[in-house]
Amino acid sequence: MAFTVRLLLFSSLFLLPVSVFAQTNSSIAVGDFLTATAANSSPWLLPSGDFAFGFLPLGSNDLFLLSIWYAKIPDRTIVWYANRDNEAAVAPKGSTVNLTANSGLVLNSPQGEELWKSETIVGVVANGVMNDTGNFVLQDRNSESLWETFNNPIDTMLPGQTLERSGKLSSRQSETNYSKGRFQLLLQEDGNLVLSTINLPTNFANEPYYATDTTSGTVAGSEGKELVFNVSGYLYVLRENGGKYNLAVGEVVSARDNYIRATLNFDGIFAQYYHPKNFTGNVSWTILWSEPDNICQRITESSGVGVCGYNSICTLKGDKRPTCRCPTGFSLLDPNDLYRGCKPDFIQGCKEDELSGTKDLYDVEVLTNIDWPISDYVQLKPFTAEKCNESCFQDCLCAVAIFRSETCWKKKLPLSNGRVDVSLNSQAFIKVRKDNSTLPIPAPQLPCPDEL
Protein backbone atom coordinates (compact mmCIF):
# COMPACT_ATOMS: atom_id res chain seq x y z
CA MET A 1 0.00 0.00 0.00
CA ALA A 2 1.60 3.23 -1.17
CA PHE A 3 0.71 6.68 0.00
CA THR A 4 1.58 9.90 -1.86
CA VAL A 5 0.37 12.69 0.33
CA ARG A 6 1.17 16.23 1.27
CA LEU A 7 2.55 15.84 4.75
CA LEU A 8 1.41 18.61 7.05
CA LEU A 9 3.27 18.44 10.34
CA PHE A 10 1.13 19.92 13.07
CA SER A 11 3.57 21.41 15.55
CA SER A 12 0.94 21.20 18.27
CA LEU A 13 1.10 17.42 18.03
CA PHE A 14 4.82 17.53 18.71
CA LEU A 15 4.68 19.62 21.86
CA LEU A 16 4.53 16.54 24.04
CA PRO A 17 6.35 16.68 27.36
CA VAL A 18 9.42 14.47 27.53
CA SER A 19 7.77 12.64 30.44
CA VAL A 20 5.46 10.78 28.03
CA PHE A 21 8.48 8.97 26.63
CA ALA A 22 8.45 5.87 28.77
CA GLN A 23 11.43 4.08 27.23
CA THR A 24 14.88 5.53 27.90
CA ASN A 25 17.07 2.45 27.38
CA SER A 26 19.25 2.84 24.27
CA SER A 27 19.41 -0.94 23.60
CA ILE A 28 16.45 -2.39 21.72
CA ALA A 29 15.89 -6.16 21.85
CA VAL A 30 14.87 -8.31 18.89
CA GLY A 31 11.10 -8.65 19.09
CA ASP A 32 10.54 -5.13 20.40
CA PHE A 33 8.13 -3.01 18.37
CA LEU A 34 6.46 0.38 18.18
CA THR A 35 2.91 1.17 17.11
CA ALA A 36 1.74 4.31 15.34
CA THR A 37 -0.90 5.61 17.74
CA ALA A 38 -1.00 9.39 18.28
CA ALA A 39 -0.13 10.56 21.80
CA ASN A 40 0.23 7.04 23.19
CA SER A 41 3.15 6.24 20.89
CA SER A 42 6.36 6.07 22.99
CA PRO A 43 9.48 6.24 20.81
CA TRP A 44 12.84 4.63 21.51
CA LEU A 45 15.12 7.19 23.15
CA LEU A 46 18.87 7.38 23.52
CA PRO A 47 20.14 7.79 27.12
CA SER A 48 20.55 11.57 26.89
CA GLY A 49 17.02 11.95 25.55
CA ASP A 50 18.30 14.26 22.78
CA PHE A 51 17.03 12.05 19.94
CA ALA A 52 14.04 9.78 19.53
CA PHE A 53 13.19 7.03 17.04
CA GLY A 54 9.55 6.33 16.35
CA PHE A 55 6.39 7.62 14.70
CA LEU A 56 5.53 11.28 14.23
CA PRO A 57 1.96 12.20 13.26
CA LEU A 58 1.42 13.86 9.88
CA GLY A 59 -1.52 16.22 9.79
CA SER A 60 -4.96 15.20 10.92
CA ASN A 61 -5.54 12.18 8.69
CA ASP A 62 -4.10 9.41 10.90
CA LEU A 63 -0.83 9.09 8.97
CA PHE A 64 2.60 8.79 10.56
CA LEU A 65 6.25 9.03 9.54
CA LEU A 66 8.82 6.59 10.93
CA SER A 67 11.70 8.91 11.76
CA ILE A 68 14.44 10.16 14.08
CA TRP A 69 14.04 13.64 15.52
CA TYR A 70 15.35 16.01 18.18
CA ALA A 71 13.23 15.17 21.20
CA LYS A 72 13.98 18.14 23.45
CA ILE A 73 13.17 21.08 21.20
CA PRO A 74 9.60 22.12 20.40
CA ASP A 75 9.55 21.71 16.62
CA ARG A 76 10.81 18.09 16.74
CA THR A 77 13.14 18.61 13.76
CA ILE A 78 13.45 15.38 11.74
CA VAL A 79 16.99 14.23 10.87
CA TRP A 80 16.17 10.86 9.25
CA TYR A 81 13.04 9.09 8.00
CA ALA A 82 12.15 5.81 6.34
CA ASN A 83 12.14 6.16 2.56
CA ARG A 84 11.22 3.59 -0.05
CA ASP A 85 11.53 4.05 -3.83
CA ASN A 86 12.00 7.82 -3.42
CA GLU A 87 8.79 8.11 -1.43
CA ALA A 88 8.49 8.61 2.32
CA ALA A 89 7.29 5.41 3.95
CA VAL A 90 4.06 6.91 5.25
CA ALA A 91 2.32 4.64 7.74
CA PRO A 92 -1.41 4.67 8.61
CA LYS A 93 -2.54 4.59 12.22
CA GLY A 94 -1.99 1.19 13.78
CA SER A 95 1.12 0.38 11.72
CA THR A 96 4.01 -1.26 13.55
CA VAL A 97 7.79 -1.27 13.22
CA ASN A 98 9.38 -4.49 14.48
CA LEU A 99 13.01 -5.30 15.19
CA THR A 100 13.61 -8.74 13.68
CA ALA A 101 16.67 -11.01 13.68
CA ASN A 102 16.78 -11.70 9.94
CA SER A 103 15.34 -8.55 8.32
CA GLY A 104 16.24 -5.84 10.81
CA LEU A 105 13.62 -3.11 11.09
CA VAL A 106 10.37 -3.95 9.32
CA LEU A 107 7.48 -1.51 8.99
CA ASN A 108 4.08 -3.09 8.37
CA SER A 109 0.61 -1.65 7.85
CA PRO A 110 -2.25 -2.71 10.15
CA GLN A 111 -3.17 -5.27 7.47
CA GLY A 112 0.33 -6.76 7.56
CA GLU A 113 1.58 -5.28 4.28
CA GLU A 114 5.28 -4.41 4.30
CA LEU A 115 5.72 -0.65 3.85
CA TRP A 116 9.48 -0.47 4.41
CA LYS A 117 12.41 -2.37 5.86
CA SER A 118 16.08 -1.69 6.50
CA GLU A 119 18.38 -2.80 3.71
CA THR A 120 19.39 -6.42 3.27
CA ILE A 121 21.07 -7.57 6.46
CA VAL A 122 24.15 -9.79 6.13
CA GLY A 123 24.19 -11.58 9.45
CA VAL A 124 21.77 -11.97 12.34
CA VAL A 125 20.57 -8.96 14.29
CA ALA A 126 21.04 -9.29 18.04
CA ASN A 127 19.82 -5.84 19.09
CA GLY A 128 19.33 -2.24 18.05
CA VAL A 129 21.14 0.72 19.64
CA MET A 130 20.29 4.40 19.69
CA ASN A 131 23.60 6.27 19.94
CA ASP A 132 23.98 9.70 21.52
CA THR A 133 24.95 10.98 18.05
CA GLY A 134 21.43 10.28 16.74
CA ASN A 135 22.52 7.17 14.85
CA PHE A 136 20.30 4.07 15.04
CA VAL A 137 22.46 0.95 14.65
CA LEU A 138 21.55 -2.71 14.17
CA GLN A 139 24.22 -4.95 15.71
CA ASP A 140 25.07 -8.63 15.71
CA ARG A 141 25.97 -10.52 18.90
CA ASN A 142 29.59 -9.30 18.59
CA SER A 143 28.37 -5.66 18.59
CA GLU A 144 29.39 -5.30 14.94
CA SER A 145 27.24 -2.92 12.88
CA LEU A 146 24.99 -4.60 10.31
CA TRP A 147 22.99 -1.51 9.31
CA GLU A 148 22.77 2.07 10.55
CA THR A 149 20.91 5.24 9.70
CA PHE A 150 24.20 7.16 9.38
CA ASN A 151 25.01 4.99 6.35
CA ASN A 152 21.57 5.61 4.87
CA PRO A 153 21.08 9.38 5.13
CA ILE A 154 18.15 11.22 3.58
CA ASP A 155 18.63 15.01 3.66
CA THR A 156 20.58 15.62 6.89
CA MET A 157 24.04 14.89 8.36
CA LEU A 158 24.88 14.99 12.08
CA PRO A 159 28.23 15.40 13.89
CA GLY A 160 30.10 12.09 13.77
CA GLN A 161 28.67 11.17 10.37
CA THR A 162 30.62 10.70 7.11
CA LEU A 163 29.64 10.45 3.46
CA GLU A 164 31.75 8.16 1.27
CA ARG A 165 32.24 8.48 -2.49
CA SER A 166 28.92 8.03 -4.33
CA GLY A 167 27.19 8.92 -1.07
CA LYS A 168 24.49 11.55 -1.34
CA LEU A 169 21.81 13.58 0.36
CA SER A 170 18.47 14.10 -1.39
CA SER A 171 16.16 17.01 -0.64
CA ARG A 172 12.49 16.55 0.11
CA GLN A 173 9.89 18.01 -2.27
CA SER A 174 8.79 20.75 0.09
CA GLU A 175 8.90 21.68 3.76
CA THR A 176 6.02 19.29 4.43
CA ASN A 177 6.29 16.77 1.58
CA TYR A 178 8.92 14.14 2.31
CA SER A 179 9.01 12.51 -1.12
CA LYS A 180 12.27 12.88 -3.04
CA GLY A 181 12.85 16.45 -4.22
CA ARG A 182 14.84 17.78 -7.15
CA PHE A 183 18.15 18.64 -5.44
CA GLN A 184 21.01 16.40 -4.40
CA LEU A 185 24.39 16.67 -2.68
CA LEU A 186 26.78 14.06 -4.07
CA LEU A 187 30.39 13.13 -3.38
CA GLN A 188 31.34 12.00 -6.87
CA GLU A 189 33.70 9.15 -7.66
CA ASP A 190 36.31 11.72 -8.70
CA GLY A 191 36.20 13.22 -5.19
CA ASN A 192 34.27 16.36 -6.13
CA LEU A 193 31.45 17.36 -3.79
CA VAL A 194 28.63 18.87 -5.87
CA LEU A 195 25.12 20.27 -5.58
CA SER A 196 22.90 19.52 -8.58
CA THR A 197 19.30 19.59 -9.70
CA ILE A 198 17.66 16.28 -10.65
CA ASN A 199 15.26 15.82 -13.55
CA LEU A 200 12.52 13.91 -11.77
CA PRO A 201 11.22 11.25 -11.95
CA THR A 202 14.64 10.08 -13.21
CA ASN A 203 17.91 10.39 -11.31
CA PHE A 204 19.57 12.33 -14.14
CA ALA A 205 21.67 15.12 -12.63
CA ASN A 206 22.24 18.42 -14.41
CA GLU A 207 25.51 20.31 -14.31
CA PRO A 208 26.40 21.25 -10.69
CA TYR A 209 25.45 24.70 -9.42
CA TYR A 210 28.01 24.34 -6.61
CA ALA A 211 31.24 22.29 -6.42
CA THR A 212 34.23 22.07 -4.09
CA ASP A 213 36.52 21.12 -7.03
CA THR A 214 38.24 18.57 -4.79
CA THR A 215 39.42 16.45 -7.70
CA SER A 216 42.88 15.17 -8.60
CA GLY A 217 45.02 18.10 -9.65
CA THR A 218 48.68 19.03 -9.63
CA VAL A 219 49.05 17.79 -6.04
CA ALA A 220 49.04 14.01 -5.65
CA GLY A 221 46.10 12.68 -3.65
CA SER A 222 44.18 15.97 -3.68
CA GLU A 223 40.90 14.31 -4.67
CA GLY A 224 38.21 14.03 -2.03
CA LYS A 225 37.93 10.74 -0.13
CA GLU A 226 34.92 11.43 2.09
CA LEU A 227 32.75 14.20 3.48
CA VAL A 228 33.33 14.40 7.22
CA PHE A 229 31.11 16.05 9.81
CA ASN A 230 33.25 15.67 12.91
CA VAL A 231 32.00 15.66 16.49
CA SER A 232 33.24 19.22 16.99
CA GLY A 233 30.92 20.48 14.29
CA TYR A 234 33.43 21.01 11.45
CA LEU A 235 32.29 19.90 8.00
CA TYR A 236 35.01 19.23 5.43
CA VAL A 237 36.03 17.09 2.47
CA LEU A 238 38.89 14.84 3.53
CA ARG A 239 41.36 14.40 0.68
CA GLU A 240 43.21 11.19 -0.15
CA ASN A 241 46.48 12.77 1.00
CA GLY A 242 44.99 13.73 4.36
CA GLY A 243 44.38 17.38 3.47
CA LYS A 244 41.07 19.04 4.20
CA TYR A 245 38.74 21.27 2.23
CA ASN A 246 36.64 23.15 4.81
CA LEU A 247 33.14 24.01 3.67
CA ALA A 248 33.09 26.99 6.01
CA VAL A 249 36.35 28.59 7.11
CA GLY A 250 36.29 29.81 10.70
CA GLU A 251 32.58 29.07 11.16
CA VAL A 252 31.97 26.85 14.20
CA VAL A 253 29.88 26.77 17.38
CA SER A 254 30.20 24.63 20.47
CA ALA A 255 28.86 21.13 19.88
CA ARG A 256 28.65 20.69 23.65
CA ASP A 257 26.23 23.59 24.07
CA ASN A 258 24.34 23.33 20.79
CA TYR A 259 22.57 20.85 18.60
CA ILE A 260 24.20 20.98 15.17
CA ARG A 261 23.03 19.61 11.84
CA ALA A 262 23.75 20.06 8.12
CA THR A 263 20.70 19.80 5.86
CA LEU A 264 20.05 19.92 2.13
CA ASN A 265 16.86 21.96 2.13
CA PHE A 266 13.97 21.44 -0.27
CA ASP A 267 14.97 24.69 -2.06
CA GLY A 268 18.49 23.45 -2.90
CA ILE A 269 20.37 25.29 -0.15
CA PHE A 270 22.89 23.19 1.80
CA ALA A 271 23.21 24.77 5.23
CA GLN A 272 24.64 24.12 8.67
CA TYR A 273 22.37 25.01 11.60
CA TYR A 274 22.69 25.23 15.34
CA HIS A 275 20.17 25.35 18.20
CA PRO A 276 21.09 25.90 21.88
CA LYS A 277 20.53 22.86 24.05
CA ASN A 278 19.53 24.99 27.01
CA PHE A 279 17.06 27.71 26.14
CA THR A 280 14.04 29.63 27.34
CA GLY A 281 11.30 31.18 25.29
CA ASN A 282 10.82 30.81 21.55
CA VAL A 283 14.18 29.76 20.10
CA SER A 284 14.61 28.46 16.56
CA TRP A 285 17.43 27.08 14.41
CA THR A 286 20.10 29.57 13.28
CA ILE A 287 22.04 29.25 10.02
CA LEU A 288 25.80 29.13 10.59
CA TRP A 289 26.68 29.05 6.86
CA SER A 290 25.09 27.97 3.60
CA GLU A 291 25.91 27.25 -0.03
CA PRO A 292 25.52 28.58 -2.64
CA ASP A 293 25.57 32.31 -1.90
CA ASN A 294 22.84 33.12 -4.43
CA ILE A 295 20.95 30.11 -5.74
CA CYS A 296 18.67 32.37 -7.80
CA GLN A 297 21.65 33.24 -9.99
CA ARG A 298 23.73 30.07 -9.65
CA ILE A 299 21.24 27.75 -11.35
CA THR A 300 21.73 28.42 -15.07
CA GLU A 301 20.51 26.70 -18.23
CA SER A 302 23.02 23.85 -17.86
CA SER A 303 22.06 23.49 -14.18
CA GLY A 304 18.37 22.90 -14.93
CA VAL A 305 15.16 24.76 -14.17
CA GLY A 306 15.47 27.41 -11.47
CA VAL A 307 14.48 26.78 -7.88
CA CYS A 308 11.14 28.53 -8.39
CA GLY A 309 10.04 26.59 -11.49
CA TYR A 310 8.76 28.05 -14.75
CA ASN A 311 7.27 31.54 -15.18
CA SER A 312 8.29 32.58 -11.65
CA ILE A 313 10.65 35.13 -10.11
CA CYS A 314 13.27 34.09 -7.54
CA THR A 315 14.38 36.50 -4.80
CA LEU A 316 16.80 35.93 -1.94
CA LYS A 317 15.67 36.50 1.62
CA GLY A 318 17.96 37.79 4.36
CA ASP A 319 19.03 34.26 5.30
CA LYS A 320 20.06 33.54 1.68
CA ARG A 321 17.06 31.25 1.24
CA PRO A 322 15.06 31.83 -1.96
CA THR A 323 11.45 32.88 -2.15
CA CYS A 324 9.27 32.90 -5.24
CA ARG A 325 6.48 35.00 -6.71
CA CYS A 326 4.47 35.11 -9.89
CA PRO A 327 4.50 38.15 -12.20
CA THR A 328 1.24 39.98 -12.89
CA GLY A 329 -1.06 37.87 -15.05
CA PHE A 330 0.29 34.59 -13.68
CA SER A 331 -0.75 32.43 -10.73
CA LEU A 332 0.77 29.52 -8.82
CA LEU A 333 0.51 26.05 -10.35
CA ASP A 334 -0.05 24.79 -6.82
CA PRO A 335 -1.55 27.36 -4.42
CA ASN A 336 0.08 25.49 -1.53
CA ASP A 337 3.58 25.46 -3.02
CA LEU A 338 5.43 28.65 -4.00
CA TYR A 339 8.23 26.64 -5.61
CA ARG A 340 6.26 24.66 -8.23
CA GLY A 341 6.15 27.52 -10.73
CA CYS A 342 3.44 29.73 -12.24
CA LYS A 343 0.93 29.48 -15.08
CA PRO A 344 -0.49 32.28 -17.21
CA ASP A 345 -4.02 33.34 -16.31
CA PHE A 346 -4.81 33.96 -19.98
CA ILE A 347 -4.38 32.33 -23.35
CA GLN A 348 -1.61 33.78 -25.47
CA GLY A 349 -0.62 32.82 -28.97
CA CYS A 350 -0.94 33.82 -32.61
CA LYS A 351 -4.09 31.78 -33.30
CA GLU A 352 -5.67 32.92 -30.06
CA ASP A 353 -4.92 36.58 -30.84
CA GLU A 354 -6.48 36.20 -34.30
CA LEU A 355 -9.67 34.67 -32.95
CA SER A 356 -10.11 37.36 -30.31
CA GLY A 357 -11.45 39.79 -32.93
CA THR A 358 -9.75 42.85 -31.44
CA LYS A 359 -6.30 44.36 -31.59
CA ASP A 360 -6.48 45.92 -28.13
CA LEU A 361 -5.70 42.73 -26.20
CA TYR A 362 -2.80 43.49 -23.90
CA ASP A 363 -1.43 45.82 -21.29
CA VAL A 364 2.27 45.90 -20.51
CA GLU A 365 3.73 45.70 -17.00
CA VAL A 366 7.24 47.10 -16.65
CA LEU A 367 9.58 45.58 -14.05
CA THR A 368 13.16 46.59 -13.31
CA ASN A 369 16.14 44.31 -12.70
CA ILE A 370 14.16 41.16 -13.48
CA ASP A 371 15.37 38.62 -16.01
CA TRP A 372 14.60 35.18 -17.36
CA PRO A 373 18.00 34.46 -18.93
CA ILE A 374 16.71 31.45 -20.84
CA SER A 375 13.71 31.30 -23.23
CA ASP A 376 14.71 34.12 -25.61
CA TYR A 377 14.23 33.43 -29.31
CA VAL A 378 15.55 36.65 -30.84
CA GLN A 379 18.06 39.36 -29.95
CA LEU A 380 17.76 42.88 -31.35
CA LYS A 381 20.72 45.28 -31.24
CA PRO A 382 21.18 48.23 -31.24
CA PHE A 383 17.70 49.02 -29.96
CA THR A 384 15.86 51.37 -27.63
CA ALA A 385 13.60 50.51 -24.72
CA GLU A 386 10.59 51.94 -26.57
CA LYS A 387 11.27 49.86 -29.66
CA CYS A 388 11.83 46.77 -27.53
CA ASN A 389 8.48 47.21 -25.84
CA GLU A 390 6.71 47.84 -29.14
CA SER A 391 8.36 44.89 -30.87
CA CYS A 392 7.17 42.47 -28.19
CA PHE A 393 3.72 44.05 -28.01
CA GLN A 394 3.14 43.48 -31.74
CA ASP A 395 4.65 39.98 -31.79
CA CYS A 396 2.12 37.23 -31.05
CA LEU A 397 4.95 34.87 -30.01
CA CYS A 398 6.46 37.29 -27.50
CA ALA A 399 5.48 37.03 -23.84
CA VAL A 400 8.25 39.14 -22.30
CA ALA A 401 10.99 41.41 -23.61
CA ILE A 402 14.11 42.26 -21.62
CA PHE A 403 16.01 45.47 -22.43
CA ARG A 404 19.46 46.50 -21.25
CA SER A 405 22.64 47.92 -22.76
CA GLU A 406 20.89 48.83 -26.05
CA THR A 407 19.87 45.18 -26.51
CA CYS A 408 16.40 43.64 -26.61
CA TRP A 409 15.77 39.96 -25.90
CA LYS A 410 12.30 38.68 -26.83
CA LYS A 411 11.14 35.60 -24.94
CA LYS A 412 8.30 33.11 -25.22
CA LEU A 413 6.61 30.83 -22.68
CA PRO A 414 7.51 29.04 -20.55
CA LEU A 415 9.87 31.54 -18.94
CA SER A 416 12.77 29.82 -17.19
CA ASN A 417 15.14 30.64 -14.30
CA GLY A 418 13.55 34.00 -13.47
CA ARG A 419 15.33 36.04 -10.83
CA VAL A 420 15.93 39.50 -9.37
CA ASP A 421 19.38 40.92 -10.11
CA VAL A 422 19.99 44.53 -9.05
CA SER A 423 23.18 44.66 -11.11
CA LEU A 424 21.32 44.27 -14.41
CA ASN A 425 20.02 47.83 -14.81
CA SER A 426 17.35 46.32 -17.06
CA GLN A 427 13.67 46.64 -17.90
CA ALA A 428 11.27 43.75 -18.39
CA PHE A 429 8.15 44.36 -20.52
CA ILE A 430 5.53 41.72 -19.67
CA LYS A 431 2.42 41.35 -21.81
CA VAL A 432 -0.73 40.89 -19.73
CA ARG A 433 -4.04 40.18 -21.42
CA LYS A 434 -6.64 42.76 -20.46
CA ASP A 435 -9.70 40.56 -20.13
CA ASN A 436 -8.04 37.31 -18.98
CA SER A 437 -10.55 35.62 -21.25
CA THR A 438 -10.32 32.15 -22.67
CA LEU A 439 -11.42 31.12 -26.11
CA PRO A 440 -14.66 29.19 -26.65
CA ILE A 441 -14.14 25.49 -27.19
CA PRO A 442 -14.86 24.72 -30.87
CA ALA A 443 -17.60 22.26 -31.68
CA PRO A 444 -16.34 18.74 -32.40
CA GLN A 445 -15.79 17.96 -36.07
CA LEU A 446 -18.12 15.28 -37.42
CA PRO A 447 -16.46 12.70 -39.68
CA CYS A 448 -17.13 12.84 -43.40
CA PRO A 449 -19.59 10.24 -44.74
CA ASP A 450 -16.80 8.34 -46.52
CA GLU A 451 -14.95 8.00 -43.17
CA LEU A 452 -17.88 6.24 -41.50
Side-chain angles (χ1 to χ4, degrees):
M1 178 168 50
F3 294 87
T4 302
V5 297
R6 184 161 307 283
L7 309 181
L8 300 178
L9 296 175
F10 283 7
S11 60
S12 60
L13 292 174
F14 301 157
L15 297 177
L16 301 174
V18 176
S19 60
V20 306
F21 299 145
Q23 199 157 353
T24 58
N25 191 343
S26 64
S27 182
I28 312 302
V30 168
D32 283 355
F33 66 93
L34 296 173
T35 304
T37 55
N40 294 324
S41 180
S42 298
W44 294 327
L45 284 174
L46 53 78
S48 68
D50 288 338
F51 292 95
F53 178 98
F55 292 102
L56 281 180
L58 302 170
S60 58
N61 43 10
D62 288 335
L63 296 177
F64 296 79
L65 186 65
L66 181 64
S67 53
I68 296 175
W69 66 90
Y70 290 95
K72 289 183 177 179
I73 59 177
D75 66 3
R76 301 293 193 261
T77 303
I78 292 173
V79 298
W80 179 90
Y81 54 93
N83 187 288
R84 181 176 185 175
D85 299 329
N86 297 329
E87 297 285 344
V90 180
K93 183 179 179 180
S95 297
T96 59
V97 59
N98 294 267
L99 182 56
T100 68
N102 296 322
S103 299
L105 293 167
V106 180
L107 174 63
N108 289 315
S109 72
Q111 293 74 34
E113 182 181 359
E114 184 180 283
L115 303 176
W116 172 86
K117 68 177 180 180
S118 49
E119 292 180 359
T120 302
I121 303 297
V122 179
V124 178
V125 176
N127 64 288
V129 175
M130 272 293 289
N131 290 331
D132 280 332
T133 56
N135 187 19
F136 190 95
V137 184
L138 302 182
Q139 297 179 337
D140 63 17
R141 64 180 182 178
N142 297 318
S143 297
E144 295 293 330
S145 173
L146 301 176
W147 180 91
E148 53 188 273
T149 55
F150 268 20
N151 290 339
N152 296 272
I154 306 297
D155 62 359
T156 295
M157 290 183 68
L158 298 173
Q161 191 169 1
T162 60
L163 203 64
E164 307 296 328
R165 286 182 184 170
S166 297
K168 64 183 178 182
L169 301 180
S170 296
S171 71
R172 60 184 74 164
Q173 282 196 11
S174 73
E175 200 73 68
T176 56
N177 186 333
Y178 289 79
S179 296
K180 184 178 179 180
R182 56 192 186 91
F183 300 94
Q184 83 172 13
L185 175 80
L186 172 68
L187 184 60
Q188 297 180 156
E189 283 297 328
D190 63 1
N192 199 12
L193 182 71
V194 300
L195 288 169
S196 306
T197 59
I198 302 297
N199 293 341
L200 296 173
T202 71
N203 290 319
F204 178 81
N206 296 299
E207 289 295 315
Y209 58 88
Y210 168 82
T212 57
D213 295 326
T214 47
T215 56
S216 58
T218 57
V219 179
S222 60
E223 62 270 26
K225 178 182 179 181
E226 59 184 0
L227 177 63
V228 178
F229 198 3
N230 72 15
V231 293
S232 298
Y234 286 96
L235 193 63
Y236 57 87
V237 177
L238 178 65
R239 301 179 188 269
E240 286 285 356
N241 59 17
K244 298 177 182 179
Y245 177 94
N246 292 306
L247 270 69
V249 178
E251 299 285 351
V252 69
V253 295
S254 168
R256 174 176 296 181
D257 300 326
N258 296 275
Y259 296 121
I260 304 174
R261 63 181 171 92
T263 298
L264 176 59
N265 294 289
F266 73 92
D267 54 18
I269 300 293
F270 184 51
Q272 186 172 343
Y273 297 85
Y274 65 95
H275 189 294
K277 292 182 179 180
N278 298 311
F279 61 92
T280 57
N282 186 18
V283 178
S284 59
W285 289 94
T286 301
I287 288 183
L288 185 62
W289 58 262
S290 64
E291 291 289 353
D293 284 337
N294 190 334
I295 195 169
C296 295
Q297 297 183 25
R298 287 294 292 272
I299 296 184
T300 61
E301 182 174 9
S302 61
S303 307
V305 179
V307 61
C308 292
Y310 290 110
N311 303 320
S312 188
I313 301 172
C314 179
T315 308
L316 279 192
K317 296 182 289 186
D319 58 1
K320 296 185 180 179
R321 297 285 297 276
T323 187
C324 310
R325 65 181 175 91
C326 299
T328 301
F330 293 75
S331 58
L332 293 172
L333 278 171
D334 182 347
N336 298 311
D337 189 350
L338 294 175
Y339 300 83
R340 281 284 305 279
C342 307
K343 58 183 176 64
D345 295 329
F346 53 88
I347 293 178
Q348 180 181 346
C350 298
K351 189 66 175 178
E352 288 77 11
D353 288 0
E354 275 182 31
L355 294 176
S356 295
T358 177
K359 298 296 184 182
D360 190 22
L361 297 176
Y362 298 99
D363 285 325
V364 174
E365 182 183 26
V366 183
L367 299 178
T368 58
N369 298 326
I370 303 289
D371 193 12
W372 290 268
I374 310 172
S375 309
D376 49 279
Y377 61 93
V378 70
Q379 179 179 343
L380 304 170
K381 183 179 181 179
F383 231 48
T384 64
E386 292 75 18
K387 288 183 177 179
C388 186
N389 183 11
E390 182 181 358
S391 179
C392 184
F393 193 81
Q394 295 178 351
D395 185 346
C396 60
L397 293 177
C398 183
V400 174
I402 305 294
F403 177 80
R404 70 176 184 275
S405 302
E406 297 186 334
T407 305
C408 179
W409 290 267
K410 295 201 296 185
K411 302 173 183 289
K412 56 186 176 181
L413 300 178
L415 303 170
S416 183
N417 299 65
R419 73 262 187 123
V420 175
D421 185 349
V422 294
S423 68
L424 288 175
N425 191 26
S426 66
Q427 291 177 288
F429 304 104
I430 304 176
K431 286 167 65 174
V432 181
R433 196 173 176 108
K434 288 182 176 180
D435 56 7
N436 284 353
S437 63
T438 59
L439 295 175
I441 300 175
Q445 295 283 337
L446 294 176
C448 297
D450 57 356
E451 294 177 344
L452 297 174

